[in-house]
Structures are given as structure tokens and as C-alpha cells.
């Protein structure tokens, strides 16, 4: 049996291959959960669940908000009628490069009609670039009925588990790239749900936020290109000069 020579927690097992700085860079890139599984042979970090509540960043009304490349609404629908169902969540997320700001969030028990009304209100409240709606449960009906009423409605059919989709945003949250409004009335419930996930009783907010951020992360934001027309002296070969003056 080979004796472990290390005497302190965090020391590299084989520093000739991966030093402590190298391992720290890898941990920051993949997140604590995947790092614990791949490099520590432990499928969960010491904290236990996927999202540490200390990872979130916050902004207030006095904060300098960056210019967003796009603002997306993500809608997680429900399976049954409003009285007996889980919550419907509509989350508005703004993207500024690698930073994401949760700008608005609605969490209510709604039927199909109520969900459609919520989406319409969000379009009036925010300059949305588009809406991502999960094609599951009542999402199919909402998508079909709203696709001709609002612009940029995108149907999303999940292929991975909730945990796999949530793990896609763990490195971003851990790196401090996701910002929450400090005075939001839903903030405590939001932090609690993420902190307990995947063992939380409800995961509707987790689904909506992960869907929005994963969508933006996996698709390049549209770029604006400016073209200026003017008078020039250069003439392309074989093209006669045109002088309108």
C-alpha cells in the first residue's frame, strides 16, 4: 500500500502533474460539485448541495447596471390546474457578457389563461429579446396560443434531468457571475430553494433560472453592426464611377 505523504488538506496528490494552482483553476472552471466528483472521488462538495448561498451576488437600485446584450423571459409551467398545481415561474434574466442579472420574477399558481396573462405583462414591463418556454405540462398549450401574440417565443424541450441542467450554471454562480435584486420580496424563497436543490420540495425557480442562463450561455447574443454610407474616391476594377452630383 502506498502511503499518502500529504499532511494538510488541499495539498496536491501529484504536484508534478497538477499543482495546487492548476487544480484551483480547474475547480473554478468546472465548479466545486464536478471538481469534487472528478478529482476528489466524492460526488458532492463538502457543503452538500449544488448551490452555496454565499455564491450569489446582489445589486440594488443604486447599482450601476451594465448594458444588456439581451433580456430573456423564461417560463416554467405546471402540470395541473392552478389550485392543485406547483407554481408557475416567469423569470426575466439580462445578459451582459458572462454576467447575468435576474431582473424580475413571478412565482404564482396559475392556469393556462393566467400564465398567458403573466407573459403578456412581462412583455409590457420589460424590453424582452424573447421568451423561452418549456414544452412540458401546460407549456405546450401556452406556446401554441401565445406564439402568434408575442414575438420571439421559443419552445424548449428538455433532454437532460433537472440536476444535469442545473449543473450547467453552477460554475457561473460560483464564480460570482449571477446577480440578484437585493430588495426582491421573493429573494429569501429563491435562495432557500437553490440551497436545498435537488432535495427541495419545490424547484420551479431553479428550472426557470437554469433554462434562461443555459439558453443564453449556449447561444451567442445577436451583434449589432453599423454601416456608414459615404462618398469615396476608390473605384473597384471594372466598375464605372457613379457620380450622382
Amino acid at each position: 500500500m502506498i502511503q499518502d505523504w500529504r499532511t494538510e488538506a488541499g495539498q496536491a496528490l501529484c504536484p508534478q502533474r497538477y499543482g495546487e494552482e492548476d487544480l484551483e483553476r480547474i475547480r473554478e472552471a468546472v465548479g466545486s460539485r464536478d471538481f469534487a466528483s472528478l478529482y476528489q472521488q466524492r460526488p458532492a462538495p463538502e457543503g452538500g448541495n449544488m448551490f452555496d448561498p454565499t455564491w450569489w451576488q446582489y445589486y440594488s437600485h443604486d447599482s450601476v447596471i451594465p448594458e444588456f446584450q439581451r433580456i430573456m423571459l423564461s417560463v416554467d409551467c405546471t402540470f395541473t390546474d392552478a389550485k392543485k398545481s406547483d407554481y408557475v415561474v416567469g423569470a426575466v434574466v439580462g445578459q451582459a457578457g458572462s454576467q447575468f442579472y435576474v431582473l424580475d420574477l413571478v412565482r404564482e399558481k396559475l392556469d393556462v389563461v393566467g400564465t398567458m396573462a403573466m407573459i403578456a405583462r412581462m412583455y409590457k414591463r420589460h424590453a424582452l429579446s424573447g421568451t423561452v418556454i418549456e414544452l412540458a405540462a401546460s407549456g405546450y398549450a401556452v406556446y401554441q396560443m401565445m406564439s402568434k401574440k408575442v414575438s420571439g417565443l421559443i419552445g424548449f424541450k428538455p433532454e437532460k434531468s433537472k440536476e444535469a441542467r442545473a449543473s450547467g450554471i453552477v460554475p457561473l454562480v460560483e464564480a460570482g457571475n449571477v446577480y440578484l435584486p437585493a430588495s426582491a420580496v421573493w429573494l429569501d424563497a429563491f435562495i432557500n430553494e437553490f440551497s436545498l436543490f435537488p432535495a427541495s420540495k419545490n424547484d420551479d425557480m431553479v428550472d426557470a433560472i437554469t433554462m434562461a442562463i443555459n439558453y443564453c450561455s449556449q447561444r451567442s447574443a445577436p451583434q449589432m453592426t453599423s454601416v456608414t454610407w459615404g462618398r469615396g474616391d476608390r473605384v473597384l476594377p471594372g466598375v464605372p464611377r457613379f457620380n450622382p452630383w
Side-chain angles (χ1 to χ4, degrees), residues 2 26 29 34 39-40 48 56 60 63 126 139-140 198 201 206 221 225:
I2 300 176
I26 295 173
D34 287 349
Y39 292 89
Q40 302 291 343
W56 302 99
S60 64
S63 302
H126 302 278
Y140 284 104
K201 180 181 179 181
V206 175
T225 303

Side-chain angles (χ1 to χ4, degrees), residues 2 9 14 18 32 45 48 55 63 66 68 166 186 191 199 204 214-215 227 238:
I2 300 176
C14 185
Y18 293 109
S32 295
W55 291 347
S63 302
F68 297 122
W186 44 262
I191 297 296
D204 314 282
N214 280 328
Y215 176 86
V227 178

Side-chain angles (χ1 to χ4, degrees), residues 36 42 44-49:
R42 192 174 62 243
E46 292 182 357
N49 293 318

Side-chain angles (χ1 to χ4, degrees), residues 204-236:
D204 314 282
M205 288 185 284
V206 175
D207 284 347
I209 294 297
T210 56
M211 185 163 56
I213 296 179
N214 280 328
Y215 176 86
C216 293
S217 299
Q218 296 167 8
R219 294 165 178 80
S220 299
Q223 302 294 321
M224 297 297 293
T225 303
S226 299
V227 178
T228 303
W229 296 92
R231 298 175 61 181
D233 296 328
R234 185 179 178 184
V235 180
L236 296 177

Side-chain angles (χ1 to χ4, degrees), residues 168-195:
I169 75 165
V170 167
L172 289 169
V173 179
E174 186 175 0
N177 289 344
V178 182
Y179 292 77
L180 308 175
S183 59
V185 295
W186 44 262
L187 185 61
D188 289 342
F190 182 99
I191 297 296
N192 185 62
E193 183 175 305
F194 269 87
S195 299

